Amino acid sequence: MTNMGTRGPGQSTSAIRLLIVDDHPVVRAGMIAMLSEEPDFEVVADVGDGAAASAFVRHTPIDLVLMDLRMPGVDGATATRLIRAEPDAPEVIILTTYDTDADIILAIEAGARGYLLKDTEPAVLADAMRRAARGETVLAPPVAAKLAAQLRSPRRPELTAREAEVLQLVARGLSNQEIGRALFIG
């Protein structure tokens, strides 16, 4: 369901136009209530899934999408990738309770401008949204720490069983021809 917002008194024409995406109606209602206190935000719509968000931005100018990560149907990372592929794509901030390495990397690779957690203070969230709308990257401190840890110790690619066998034989000093015979490789 899409709820169309209206510009309230005191909101300027240069307000940051927002789309809120979360599968929980009470979360969307809380976000709308919180953001309505900010004079430079205009909640244009709220939707309950990634497919609706992706479809909405194709037809309505939006500056920033506040996106949940895990939703039924099209998840937040997939929706972010679809949205960011659009011409004149809005920025996307992931707002979620999930902070696993895989979730963070998936969202950032999909094009998210930011990754924040739902325990973020309202004033910090509003400031991060303004910064993301200007094109700055915004990350919750625990998320930034996880990304830094990933960069400091990149994961080594895992070997297949066959590659491990070849590596063991190389370590034992066998030549390519001997390895080929041992593994029945022509």
Side-chain angles (χ1 to χ4, degrees):
M1 169 154 199
T2 302
N3 296 315
M4 300 303 294
T6 59
R7 180 167 285 142
Q11 287 184 317
S12 71
T13 56
S14 64
I16 299 169
R17 295 172 49 85
L18 304 171
L19 171 63
I20 298 172
V21 186
D22 196 294
D23 58 324
H24 296 98
V26 72
V27 172
R28 293 195 314 267
M31 294 299 305
I32 292 167
M34 180 191 82
L35 295 172
S36 70
E37 300 295 318
E38 302 291 333
D40 55 337
F41 290 139
E42 176 188 356
V43 178
V44 175
D46 65 283
V47 297
D49 61 70
S54 178
F56 188 83
V57 300
R58 278 188 225 115
H59 306 292
T60 307
I62 297 293
D63 300 310
L64 183 66
V65 178
L66 201 54
M67 176 85 67
D68 190 16
L69 189 61
R70 296 192 186 169
M71 297 176 286
V74 177
D75 63 79
T78 302
T80 297
R81 187 175 314 282
L82 294 170
I83 288 168
R84 294 296 299 154
E86 292 292 324
D88 299 320
E91 299 294 351
V92 177
I93 293 179
I94 299 296
L95 182 64
T96 185
T97 58
Y98 303 100
D99 67 348
T100 67
D101 292 358
D103 287 330
I104 295 165
I105 298 297
L106 192 62
I108 299 300
E109 286 177 346
R113 176 62 61 188
Y115 196 106
L116 300 172
L117 302 175
K118 286 185 177 176
D119 64 356
T120 301
E121 291 293 325
V124 173
L125 175 61
D127 179 60
M129 291 170 63
R130 289 180 187 98
R131 290 175 37 222
R134 290 191 305 260
E136 296 177 34
T137 299
V138 292
L139 301 171
V143 171
K146 286 182 182 239
L147 283 175
Q150 285 277 352
L151 293 173
R152 280 193 296 270
S153 60
R155 293 183 183 162
R156 297 179 190 164
E158 294 184 26
L159 299 176
T160 66
R162 183 57 125 194
E163 290 168 334
E165 287 177 305
V166 170
L167 186 57
Q168 287 175 340
L169 295 174
V170 167
R172 290 189 358 213
L174 275 64
S175 70
N176 286 347
Q177 192 175 30
E178 292 168 322
I179 292 170
R181 278 195 302 270
L183 297 178
F184 305 102
I185 299 172

